[in-house]
Protein backbone atom coordinates (compact mmCIF):
# COMPACT_ATOMS: atom_id res chain seq x y z
CA UNK A 1 0.00 0.00 0.00
CA UNK A 2 1.98 2.97 -1.25
CA UNK A 3 5.34 3.37 0.46
CA UNK A 4 4.30 1.48 3.60
CA UNK A 5 6.91 -1.08 4.68
CA UNK A 6 5.46 -4.59 5.00
CA UNK A 7 7.06 -4.97 8.44
CA UNK A 8 5.02 -2.00 9.72
CA UNK A 9 1.58 -3.24 8.60
CA UNK A 10 0.62 -5.74 11.38
CA UNK A 11 -1.44 -3.95 14.02
CA UNK A 12 -2.43 -1.05 11.80
CA UNK A 13 -5.97 -0.35 10.64
CA UNK A 14 -6.51 -0.59 6.86
CA UNK A 15 -9.70 0.90 5.43
CA UNK A 16 -10.53 0.11 1.81
CA UNK A 17 -13.25 1.55 -0.42
CA UNK A 18 -14.41 -0.36 -3.47
CA UNK A 19 -16.60 -3.18 -4.73
CA UNK A 20 -16.91 -6.63 -3.12
CA UNK A 21 -17.99 -9.54 -5.31
CA UNK A 22 -17.90 -13.31 -5.43
CA UNK A 23 -15.33 -14.67 -7.90
CA UNK A 24 -16.75 -16.32 -11.04
CA UNK A 25 -16.96 -20.09 -11.19
CA UNK A 26 -16.32 -22.45 -14.10
CA UNK A 27 -18.02 -21.43 -17.35
CA UNK A 28 -18.39 -25.05 -18.43
CA UNK A 29 -18.44 -28.35 -16.48
CA UNK A 30 -14.96 -29.77 -15.96
CA UNK A 31 -13.18 -26.50 -16.78
CA UNK A 32 -10.96 -24.51 -14.45
CA UNK A 33 -13.00 -23.14 -11.53
CA UNK A 34 -11.47 -19.86 -10.38
CA UNK A 35 -13.84 -19.64 -7.40
CA UNK A 36 -12.79 -23.04 -6.01
CA UNK A 37 -9.13 -22.20 -6.67
CA UNK A 38 -9.37 -19.00 -4.60
CA UNK A 39 -11.18 -20.81 -1.81
CA UNK A 40 -8.32 -23.31 -1.70
CA UNK A 41 -6.08 -20.31 -1.00
CA UNK A 42 -8.35 -19.07 1.79
CA UNK A 43 -10.02 -16.36 -0.34
CA UNK A 44 -13.81 -16.28 -0.46
CA UNK A 45 -14.44 -12.93 -2.16
CA UNK A 46 -12.70 -10.58 -4.57
CA UNK A 47 -12.44 -6.89 -3.74
CA UNK A 48 -11.69 -4.15 -6.25
CA UNK A 49 -10.26 -1.32 -4.15
CA UNK A 50 -10.60 2.24 -5.38
CA UNK A 51 -8.71 3.68 -2.41
CA UNK A 52 -6.83 2.55 0.71
CA UNK A 53 -6.25 4.29 4.01
CA UNK A 54 -3.74 3.03 6.60
CA UNK A 55 -3.84 4.42 10.14
CA UNK A 56 -2.49 3.65 13.60
CA UNK A 57 -5.81 4.14 15.42
CA UNK A 58 -6.47 1.89 18.38
CA UNK A 59 -4.24 -0.27 20.60
CA UNK A 60 -1.91 -2.84 19.08
CA UNK A 61 -2.68 -6.38 20.24
CA UNK A 62 -0.06 -8.82 21.48
CA UNK A 63 -0.53 -10.96 18.37
CA UNK A 64 -0.03 -7.92 16.12
CA UNK A 65 3.16 -7.01 18.00
CA UNK A 66 4.39 -10.57 17.54
CA UNK A 67 3.57 -10.52 13.82
CA UNK A 68 5.28 -7.15 13.41
CA UNK A 69 8.39 -8.45 15.18
CA UNK A 70 8.43 -11.51 12.90
CA UNK A 71 8.19 -9.36 9.78
CA UNK A 72 10.89 -7.03 11.09
CA UNK A 73 13.21 -9.99 11.78
CA UNK A 74 12.54 -11.45 8.34
CA UNK A 75 13.00 -8.18 6.44
CA UNK A 76 16.10 -7.19 8.45
CA UNK A 77 17.65 -10.53 7.49
CA UNK A 78 16.83 -10.01 3.81
CA UNK A 79 18.17 -6.43 3.91
CA UNK A 80 21.64 -7.85 4.48
CA UNK A 81 21.70 -8.85 0.79
CA UNK A 82 22.26 -5.72 -1.28
CA UNK A 83 21.97 -7.38 -4.69
CA UNK A 84 18.24 -7.47 -5.66
CA UNK A 85 18.55 -10.80 -7.48
CA UNK A 86 20.33 -12.49 -4.57
CA UNK A 87 17.81 -11.00 -2.12
CA UNK A 88 14.91 -12.33 -4.22
CA UNK A 89 16.54 -15.77 -4.44
CA UNK A 90 17.16 -15.96 -0.66
CA UNK A 91 13.59 -14.79 -0.05
CA UNK A 92 12.29 -17.62 -2.22
CA UNK A 93 14.56 -20.37 -0.86
CA UNK A 94 14.30 -19.51 2.85
CA UNK A 95 10.75 -18.19 3.11
CA UNK A 96 9.04 -19.61 0.01
CA UNK A 97 8.12 -16.13 -1.23
CA UNK A 98 8.73 -16.05 -5.00
CA UNK A 99 7.08 -12.67 -5.62
CA UNK A 100 10.38 -10.86 -6.30
CA UNK A 101 11.92 -13.54 -8.54
CA UNK A 102 11.78 -12.81 -12.27
CA UNK A 103 9.72 -15.00 -14.58
CA UNK A 104 12.86 -15.99 -16.49
CA UNK A 105 14.54 -17.26 -13.33
CA UNK A 106 11.44 -19.21 -12.29
CA UNK A 107 11.27 -20.81 -15.73
CA UNK A 108 14.96 -21.79 -15.51
CA UNK A 109 14.40 -23.49 -12.14
CA UNK A 110 11.35 -25.30 -13.47
CA UNK A 111 13.15 -26.41 -16.63
CA UNK A 112 16.10 -27.98 -14.80
CA UNK A 113 13.89 -29.70 -12.22
CA UNK A 114 14.98 -27.67 -9.16
CA UNK A 115 11.86 -25.53 -8.78
CA UNK A 116 10.92 -27.35 -5.56
CA UNK A 117 13.68 -25.57 -3.61
CA UNK A 118 11.75 -22.31 -4.03
CA UNK A 119 8.77 -23.72 -2.14
CA UNK A 120 9.16 -24.18 1.62
CA UNK A 121 8.65 -27.87 2.33
CA UNK A 122 9.68 -30.67 4.64
CA UNK A 123 13.22 -30.34 3.27
CA UNK A 124 13.58 -26.79 4.59
CA UNK A 125 11.88 -27.55 7.89
CA UNK A 126 13.95 -30.71 8.27
CA UNK A 127 17.18 -28.73 7.84
CA UNK A 128 16.07 -26.28 10.52
CA UNK A 129 15.03 -29.10 12.83
CA UNK A 130 18.35 -30.92 12.35
CA UNK A 131 20.29 -27.73 13.06
CA UNK A 132 18.34 -27.07 16.27
CA UNK A 133 18.82 -30.66 17.46
CA UNK A 134 22.55 -30.44 16.68
CA UNK A 135 22.87 -27.21 18.69
CA UNK A 136 21.10 -28.91 21.61
CA UNK A 137 23.78 -31.57 21.79
CA UNK A 138 22.90 -34.22 24.34
CA UNK A 139 20.22 -32.10 26.00
CA UNK A 140 17.00 -34.01 25.39
CA UNK A 141 14.80 -32.37 28.02
CA UNK A 142 11.19 -31.28 27.71
CA UNK A 143 12.08 -27.53 27.82
CA UNK A 144 14.58 -28.12 25.00
CA UNK A 145 11.89 -29.88 22.94
CA UNK A 146 9.44 -27.04 23.66
CA UNK A 147 12.06 -24.55 22.42
CA UNK A 148 12.48 -26.50 19.16
CA UNK A 149 8.70 -26.63 18.64
CA UNK A 150 8.43 -22.88 19.32
CA UNK A 151 11.12 -22.10 16.71
CA UNK A 152 9.39 -24.36 14.16
CA UNK A 153 6.07 -22.58 14.75
CA UNK A 154 7.75 -19.18 14.37
CA UNK A 155 9.30 -20.32 11.09
CA UNK A 156 5.86 -21.50 9.96
CA UNK A 157 4.47 -18.04 10.75
CA UNK A 158 7.27 -16.43 8.74
CA UNK A 159 6.47 -18.61 5.71
CA UNK A 160 2.70 -18.01 6.10
CA UNK A 161 1.98 -21.70 6.70
CA UNK A 162 1.92 -23.36 3.32
CA UNK A 163 0.39 -26.89 3.46
CA UNK A 164 3.82 -28.50 3.12
CA UNK A 165 5.17 -26.41 6.02
CA UNK A 166 2.19 -27.27 8.21
CA UNK A 167 2.63 -30.96 7.40
CA UNK A 168 6.33 -30.92 8.25
CA UNK A 169 5.92 -28.95 11.49
CA UNK A 170 3.07 -31.20 12.63
CA UNK A 171 5.02 -34.40 11.94
CA UNK A 172 8.13 -33.11 13.73
CA UNK A 173 6.07 -31.88 16.69
CA UNK A 174 4.34 -35.27 17.03
CA UNK A 175 7.75 -36.94 16.80
CA UNK A 176 9.16 -34.81 19.62
CA UNK A 177 6.12 -35.17 21.87
CA UNK A 178 5.98 -38.94 21.41
CA UNK A 179 9.40 -39.21 23.05
CA UNK A 180 8.15 -37.55 26.23
CA UNK A 181 4.77 -39.29 26.18
CA UNK A 182 6.67 -42.60 25.95
CA UNK A 183 4.68 -43.66 22.94
CA UNK A 184 6.08 -45.14 19.71
CA UNK A 185 6.24 -42.68 16.83
CA UNK A 186 4.30 -43.79 13.76
CA UNK A 187 4.96 -41.75 10.62
CA UNK A 188 1.67 -42.68 8.94
CA UNK A 189 -0.32 -41.55 12.00
CA UNK A 190 1.65 -38.30 12.18
CA UNK A 191 1.08 -37.54 8.49
CA UNK A 192 -2.62 -38.41 8.90
CA UNK A 193 -2.85 -36.01 11.86
CA UNK A 194 -1.29 -33.25 9.76
CA UNK A 195 -3.71 -33.98 6.90
CA UNK A 196 -6.67 -33.77 9.30
CA UNK A 197 -5.36 -30.47 10.71
CA UNK A 198 -4.89 -28.98 7.23
CA UNK A 199 -8.38 -30.05 6.14
CA UNK A 200 -9.96 -28.65 9.30
CA UNK A 201 -8.31 -25.27 8.73
CA UNK A 202 -8.77 -25.15 4.95
CA UNK A 203 -11.29 -27.76 3.69
CA UNK A 204 -10.87 -26.68 0.06
Amino acid sequence: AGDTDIREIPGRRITAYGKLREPPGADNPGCFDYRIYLRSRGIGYAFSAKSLEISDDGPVSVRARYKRWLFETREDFLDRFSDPEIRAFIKGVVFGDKSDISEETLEDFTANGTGHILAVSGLHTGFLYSLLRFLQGRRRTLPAAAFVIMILIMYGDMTLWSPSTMRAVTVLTVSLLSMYARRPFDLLSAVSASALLILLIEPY
Side-chain angles (χ1 to χ4, degrees):
D3 297 327
T4 303
D5 195 320
I6 188 174
R7 73 194 80 185
E8 299 176 0
I9 290 180
R12 304 182 75 180
R13 182 185 298 275
I14 301 178
T15 305
Y17 300 91
K19 185 176 181 180
L20 184 70
R21 60 182 176 82
E22 189 175 29
D27 293 330
N28 297 301
C31 293
F32 175 72
D33 195 318
Y34 186 58
R35 183 183 303 165
I36 297 297
Y37 167 75
L38 287 181
R39 287 181 178 176
S40 72
R41 306 297 296 269
I43 302 171
Y45 293 90
F47 186 79
S48 301
K50 295 181 179 179
S51 64
L52 284 173
E53 295 179 2
I54 302 178
S55 64
D56 293 308
D57 297 338
V60 180
S61 65
V62 175
R63 178 170 176 77
R65 292 179 188 274
Y66 163 72
K67 288 286 188 180
R68 182 175 293 183
W69 174 79
L70 276 184
F71 275 117
E72 288 176 350
T73 303
R74 168 177 154 167
E75 295 302 312
D76 289 344
F77 168 74
L78 292 173
D79 287 343
R80 298 181 181 181
F81 304 94
S82 56
D83 189 298
E85 291 187 5
I86 295 178
R87 188 184 192 277
F89 176 75
I90 297 296
K91 188 176 182 180
V93 171
V94 178
F95 301 110
D97 188 343
K98 299 176 285 188
S99 58
D100 293 340
I101 301 179
S102 64
E103 290 292 333
E104 294 80 6
T105 303
L106 289 175
E107 290 176 0
D108 289 341
F109 273 95
T110 302
N112 60 31
T114 57
H116 61 279
I117 70 171
L118 297 177
V120 174
S121 62
L123 178 66
H124 300 69
T125 313
F127 277 137
L128 177 60
Y129 173 78
S130 299
L131 176 62
L132 292 172
R133 297 294 279 180
F134 173 76
L135 294 176
Q136 282 184 340
R138 296 181 178 275
R139 295 187 295 274
R140 294 292 189 267
T141 61
L142 185 58
F147 173 77
V148 172
I149 294 173
M150 181 185 71
I151 296 297
L152 291 176
I153 291 175
M154 290 172 60
Y155 181 66
D157 284 336
M158 282 186 174
T159 60
L160 303 180
W161 289 109
S162 65
S164 57
T165 305
M166 186 174 295
R167 180 193 66 226
V169 171
T170 302
V171 170
L172 292 173
T173 300
V174 172
S175 174
L176 280 170
L177 294 179
S178 65
M179 295 169 52
Y180 299 97
R182 297 184 179 180
R183 294 289 187 273
F185 172 71
D186 178 57
L187 181 59
L188 180 59
S189 297
V191 172
S192 300
S194 67
L196 179 61
L197 179 63
I198 292 171
L199 290 173
L200 286 173
I201 295 174
E202 193 55 67
Y204 282 93

